Amino acid sequence: MNVLKNLFTALRGGANEVGEAIVDANAVRILEQEIRDAEQAISKAKGSLTKMKATEIQLKREVNSLNVDISDYEVKAVQALESGKEALATEVAEKIAELETDRNDKHAEQQALDGEIQKINALIRSREKRIQKNKRELDKVKTVSELQKATASISTNVAATGSSDHRVSQALERVKKKQQNWQDRMEAGEWMQAENDGDTLDAKLAAEGIGGPSSSGANAVLERLKAKQAS
């Protein structure tokens, strides 16, 4: 990578450790820039490859056209020979030879260009796979980096608030006790209300002669004996 190479070259010698520290601190940004540079280079290479392929297609079309012309002149040369016009047939043969030379040159150029296109295309595909792999590796590095930051933040917060956690827990316990006391008082109040309601009801029943004092006791026995004597 050019950026890394230039940076290490500028900081080599006694400053190597400092240079490595700088690279490590900015590794993600450097790698992101290198990937962008590589993608731009690949884009330009694809543009050049497209032009090369267009030229190759044109050459192939010209070769095919020349083959058609050659076949056509061959038929005419045979016709000239059959007609006994050897001089004319010779001129046609010279034309055919000229076309064949042109055809062969263009065919060789087209074949060579096609070979170069195949090599460059394979190189581009290989480089694209490498870039995608680098992107995945970069994503992993960024994920781990964010995880490290989160872990460090959590550790710092725990260290900073560790002493206050105990106070918070105690406060929560006090709140819970107060709530429980309030619930207990509410239950006691409900019980007392129920008791009061029961006394009032008993007084009403007694006034109506319902559920009065029991018929047992000395007075009751004495009244029963008097009644029996009278009878």
Side-chain angles (χ1 to χ4, degrees):
M1 294 182 178
N2 293 332
V3 174
L4 291 174
K5 181 179 179 182
N6 293 338
L7 187 56
F8 277 125
T9 301
L11 298 172
R12 63 186 176 181
N16 274 344
E17 293 183 1
V18 177
E20 290 179 358
I22 294 174
V23 171
D24 291 344
N26 298 276
V28 172
R29 293 172 59 188
I30 292 174
L31 290 174
E32 287 178 335
Q33 184 59 50
E34 288 294 337
I35 289 174
R36 285 194 292 269
D37 291 344
E39 288 179 330
Q40 290 178 358
I42 289 295
S43 180
K44 291 180 180 179
K46 284 184 175 181
S48 298
L49 183 64
T50 300
K51 293 179 181 179
M52 291 175 64
K53 184 63 178 178
T55 301
E56 188 267 337
I57 292 173
Q58 181 179 352
L59 285 171
K60 184 182 292 186
R61 184 173 60 253
E62 291 177 357
V63 167
N64 292 334
S65 178
L66 287 170
N67 283 329
V68 172
D69 291 342
I70 290 169
S71 297
D72 183 57
Y73 277 114
E74 285 177 348
V75 172
K76 293 176 180 178
V78 171
Q79 291 176 347
L81 288 173
E82 290 175 348
S83 300
K85 300 176 181 179
E86 189 170 341
L88 182 59
T90 300
E91 290 183 20
V92 176
E94 291 175 352
K95 180 63 175 179
I96 292 172
E98 180 183 344
L99 292 174
E100 286 179 341
T101 299
D102 191 18
R103 188 267 319 271
N104 293 339
D105 289 344
K106 289 185 176 181
H107 181 67
E109 183 180 357
Q110 181 263 327
Q111 289 294 309
L113 188 58
D114 182 63
E116 290 298 319
I117 289 172
Q118 297 301 324
K119 291 179 181 179
I120 294 173
N121 188 45
L123 183 61
I124 289 175
R125 291 181 179 275
S126 175
R127 185 56 178 164
E128 283 181 325
K129 290 180 180 180
R130 183 60 181 272
I131 291 174
Q132 293 303 318
K133 181 180 179 180
N134 288 341
K135 281 185 173 181
R136 291 192 294 270
E137 292 296 326
L138 180 59
D139 287 339
K140 292 179 183 178
V141 170
K142 291 169 70 175
T143 300
V144 173
S145 177
E146 292 299 324
L147 181 59
Q148 289 174 338
K149 291 179 181 178
T151 302
S153 177
I154 292 172
S155 299
T156 301
N157 291 335
V158 169
T161 61
S163 60
S164 64
D165 285 346
H166 182 63
R167 293 195 299 271
V168 172
S169 297
Q170 288 181 330
L172 288 174
E173 287 300 324
R174 288 195 297 271
V175 171
K176 289 179 181 179
K177 288 181 179 179
K178 290 180 180 179
Q179 291 177 343
Q180 187 62 54
N181 291 336
W182 178 82
Q183 290 179 356
D184 293 342
R185 288 196 302 271
M186 289 294 294
E187 290 181 8
E190 290 175 358
W191 174 83
M192 182 59 69
Q193 183 65 39
E195 289 296 317
N196 292 334
D197 291 343
D199 291 345
T200 302
L201 179 60
D202 289 339
K204 290 180 180 179
L205 290 172
E208 297 295 332
I210 300 174
S214 174
S215 60
S216 61
N219 293 330
V221 173
L222 183 60
E223 290 297 328
R224 187 173 67 251
L225 291 174
K226 287 181 178 179
K228 183 183 292 187
Q229 185 179 11
S231 64

